[in-house]
Amino acid sequence: MGSIPIGTVGLEALRQSDGGSDASGGEGSIPSRTDRLYAITRADLSAGLRAAQVGHALIAWVLKHGEPCENLVVLQVPGRFALEELEKRLSGRVEAFHEPDLGGQLTAIAAGPECWREVSAIGLMR
């Protein structure tokens, strides 16, 4: 498998950079919802741990579902219970990562573009 270009995007950053243009896919426009892969992690983890967990979930998603979308949206929920509840609500291509070093706790989820409705109200990872 060749290299896979993944651009890290935030919905608000995209809207600010292009004045909220349509999702036509032209340069400077917001990518279509079908062009996004979502990674969701927990805000109660340290920044470095959040980044690693997102990576683990994305690798699991790619290994199971193949080449990802070109655009990546990284989101966060407050903690473990919020992430567990989100996992229960998601349908479609979803891969959850449980960190062995944290007793097997759920730490991140990667979700395909079809999950956009379920994740649309979640804030960007900070």
Side-chain angles (χ1 to χ4, degrees), residues 3-5 10 16 24 26 32 34 40 42 55 67 73 78 88 95-96 99 105 107 110 118-119:
S3 67
I4 301 170
Q16 291 171 1
S24 63
S32 163
T34 59
I40 308 98
R42 297 169 27 189
E67 190 168 327
V73 180
K88 291 175 190 174
E95 294 302 317
E99 177 54 62
Q105 290 181 23
T107 54
E118 292 96 335
V119 301

Side-chain angles (χ1 to χ4, degrees), residues 14-38:
L14 284 171
R15 286 187 185 106
Q16 291 171 1
S17 70
D18 72 357
S21 69
D22 65 29
S24 63
E27 189 169 333
S29 67
I30 299 172
S32 163
R33 291 180 183 120
T34 59
D35 293 339
R36 298 178 187 142
L37 178 61
Y38 300 94

